[in-house]
Amino acid sequence: MSLLPLMEWLDTHAWSTALHESLYMYPLTESIHVWGLALFAGFAMALDLRLLGVFLPSVPVSTVANKLLPWTIAGFIVMVVSGAMLLYAIPIRTYLSVWFRLKVILLILAGINVWIFHSGIYLKVKEWDLAKRPPVRARFAGAASLLLWAIIIFSGRMIAYNWFDCDRQPQSSFVNWFAGCPDDLEGNLHG
Amino acid sequence: MKEALLPFFEWCDATALASYIQQSQWLFPFIEAFHLVAFAALGGAALLVDLRLLGVLLKDQPVAQLAKDARPWFWGALALMFVSGGLLFVSETTKLYYNDPFWSKMRFLFLGILFTITIRRKVINMDSIKVGHWAKVVSLVNIVLWSGVAWGGRWIGFW
C-alpha cells in the first residue's frame, strides 16, 4: 500500500505550497513543533524517570501519571497538529524520507509500549505506587519510552537532511526500498 | 560589545575542532539532534516547576520539594545543552556573528539563567502564602524567557 498518490495530491494544493514557501509560517510551525517537545517529550520523560525511580521518588506513581497526563496530551496535540502541517507543506519528500519512516515506526512502537504498560503492570499500580524502585516491568516501560522518544526526536531532526533522498542516486538498495523510492521519480521532491 | 567579541568568533573558526566538525557531513546534524533531545529534558524540568508555580499542576505537592527534585535534571540537561551547543557554536561562528536570532537567543539565555537562580529560586523557597499571585507572574516570566531561548535557537537555521 502506497500513500504516494495521496502525497502527490496534497502537493498540488495551493496551501501546501504557500505554507512551504511562507517566509514566516513555515519557520513558525517548526518552532511550535520544537517548543511542543518541552511539554510533550519533557513530561513523558518525567513519568519515565519516575518509573525508573530516579525522579520525584516521594510522589506516588499514579499521581505523577494522572496529573501529568492532561498536559502531556495537550503537548501531543500540539506536536501532531504542527507535525501534520510540516508534512502537508512538503508531502512527497517527507513521505519518501527514510528518517520520517523510521520516526513513524518508532512512534507506533512508543504507542505499543504505552498500551502494554497501561494494560499490564499499571493495572496493579496501587501495589507499587510508592515504591522508590518500581517493578521491573514498569522500569522497562520507562527505559523503553526514554530510548524511543530520544530516537524519535533524533530522526525527526534528521528529516531536514537529504543524504538518503530519492533524487540523490545511487543509494543502497536497502535505502531505496525503505524510502519507497518510485522507479519513475520525476521532477523535484520538494513541491 | 558585539564587536569586541569578533576576534573570539574568528579564533573559534580557526580551531582544529571547528574544521573537524565542518568537514564532517554527519557531525553537525548529529550534535544538533542531540541538542534537541537535551532540550526536551530541560524544557520538561523547567515547565514542570513553572506549571506548579502557576497553580495548574501537582497542586498537592510542595513547590520547594518539587523544584528540588527537578533541579538536577534541569542543570544536567543544561550542561548537555552547553556542551552540544558549544560544539555547534564553534563550528559556525562566522555565520552566527551575523545571525540576529543567535544574539537574541543568547540574551534570553542569559536572562533565563539569571532569573532562574535569583528571583525564581527565591520565590520557590518562600512560604507560598506570602508569595501569593507573584508565583504566577514568576512562572510566566520564566516560561517566556526560556521559550525565547528555544525559538531563537530554531530560527538560527532559518536566518
Side-chain angles (χ1 to χ4, degrees):
Chain A
M1 183 194 68
S2 173
L3 297 175
L4 192 57
L6 172 68
M7 299 299 151
E8 284 169 342
W9 177 70
L10 290 177
D11 194 55
T12 61
H13 285 201
W15 280 33
S16 164
T17 312
L19 180 57
H20 186 196
E21 291 178 355
S22 162
L23 195 55
Y24 293 107
M25 270 310 286
Y26 188 78
L28 190 67
T29 312
E30 284 257 26
S31 298
I32 292 169
H33 201 60
V34 167
W35 191 93
L37 268 183
L39 186 60
F40 173 67
F43 276 32
M45 285 176 181
L47 177 59
D48 295 338
L49 293 172
R50 175 62 187 93
L51 291 175
L52 288 170
V54 293
F55 183 51
L56 303 175
S58 56
V59 185
V61 172
S62 62
T63 305
V64 177
N66 292 335
K67 302 288 175 176
L68 260 51
L69 188 66
W71 294 96
T72 316
I73 290 174
F76 188 69
I77 293 170
V78 171
M79 295 310 276
V80 169
V81 172
S82 55
M85 284 171 70
L86 293 171
L87 173 65
Y88 179 65
I90 311 179
I92 299 174
R93 184 193 171 248
T94 309
Y95 177 70
L96 298 175
S97 155
V98 289
W99 299 108
F100 175 74
R101 290 175 173 222
L102 177 64
K103 183 176 179 177
V104 171
I105 292 170
L106 294 172
L107 279 169
I108 294 168
L109 288 180
I112 293 174
N113 184 47
V114 171
W115 178 74
I116 292 174
F117 174 69
H118 276 274
S119 60
I121 192 75
Y122 190 69
L123 291 177
K124 288 183 273 180
V125 68
K126 287 291 164 237
E127 293 166 24
W128 50 277
D129 217 1
L130 276 161
K132 297 263 189 285
R133 196 176 145 85
V136 65
R137 280 167 64 196
R139 276 183 282 136
F140 179 81
S145 169
L146 271 181
L147 186 67
L148 283 168
W149 288 116
I151 312 176
I152 288 167
I153 295 171
F154 204 92
S155 333
R157 190 62 192 80
M158 290 296 143
I159 295 172
Y161 295 93
N162 68 347
W163 305 300
F164 300 120
D165 275 12
C166 290
D167 58 359
R168 277 188 66 165
Q169 298 293 342
Q171 300 283 355
S172 72
S173 52
F174 172 77
V175 167
N176 280 330
W177 168 76
F178 191 56
C181 294
D183 299 331
D184 55 341
L185 187 69
E186 282 173 34
N188 73 63
L189 297 170
H190 307 268
Chain B
M1 166 75 180
K2 198 174 147 182
E3 287 72 23
L5 288 169
L6 187 56
F8 172 68
F9 277 58
E10 285 168 345
W11 177 82
C12 284
D13 191 54
T15 58
L17 182 63
S19 345
Y20 187 72
I21 299 170
Q22 286 160 7
Q23 277 156 24
S24 162
Q25 193 184 173
W26 293 88
L27 266 177
F28 190 91
F30 268 59
I31 302 167
E32 193 181 34
F34 181 82
H35 195 63
L36 200 57
V37 176
F39 161 74
L42 175 89
L47 265 183
L48 205 62
V49 178
D50 282 326
L51 293 183
R52 172 63 189 85
L53 278 173
L54 204 56
V56 293
L57 179 75
L58 292 168
K59 274 175 279 191
D60 304 330
Q61 306 299 322
V63 179
Q65 182 61 42
L66 186 68
K68 199 173 154 230
D69 285 338
R71 202 162 289 153
W73 295 102
F74 178 83
W75 293 104
L78 191 64
L80 293 177
M81 299 292 283
F82 264 101
V83 173
S84 52
L87 291 171
L88 296 173
F89 169 81
V90 166
S91 76
E92 56 169 13
T93 48
T94 47
K95 166 189 162 178
L96 291 177
Y97 185 79
Y98 301 100
N99 188 292
D100 289 348
F102 168 75
W103 291 102
S104 153
K105 176 181 180 176
M106 290 304 116
R107 289 186 184 100
F108 274 114
L109 180 62
F110 175 75
L111 292 175
I113 293 174
L114 191 68
F115 190 74
T116 298
I117 60 175
T118 55
I119 299 171
R120 184 167 174 267
R121 181 165 297 176
K122 196 161 185 169
V123 164
I124 282 168
N125 291 322
M126 270 168 73
D127 186 342
S128 59
I129 296 161
K130 273 190 206 156
V131 180
H133 290 299
W134 283 106
K136 293 191 170 71
V137 178
V138 165
S139 75
L140 289 174
V141 169
N142 200 57
I143 290 172
V144 168
L145 290 176
W146 288 97
S147 297
V149 179
W151 284 56
R154 179 57 270 210
W155 279 79
I156 289 173
F158 285 116
W159 202 248

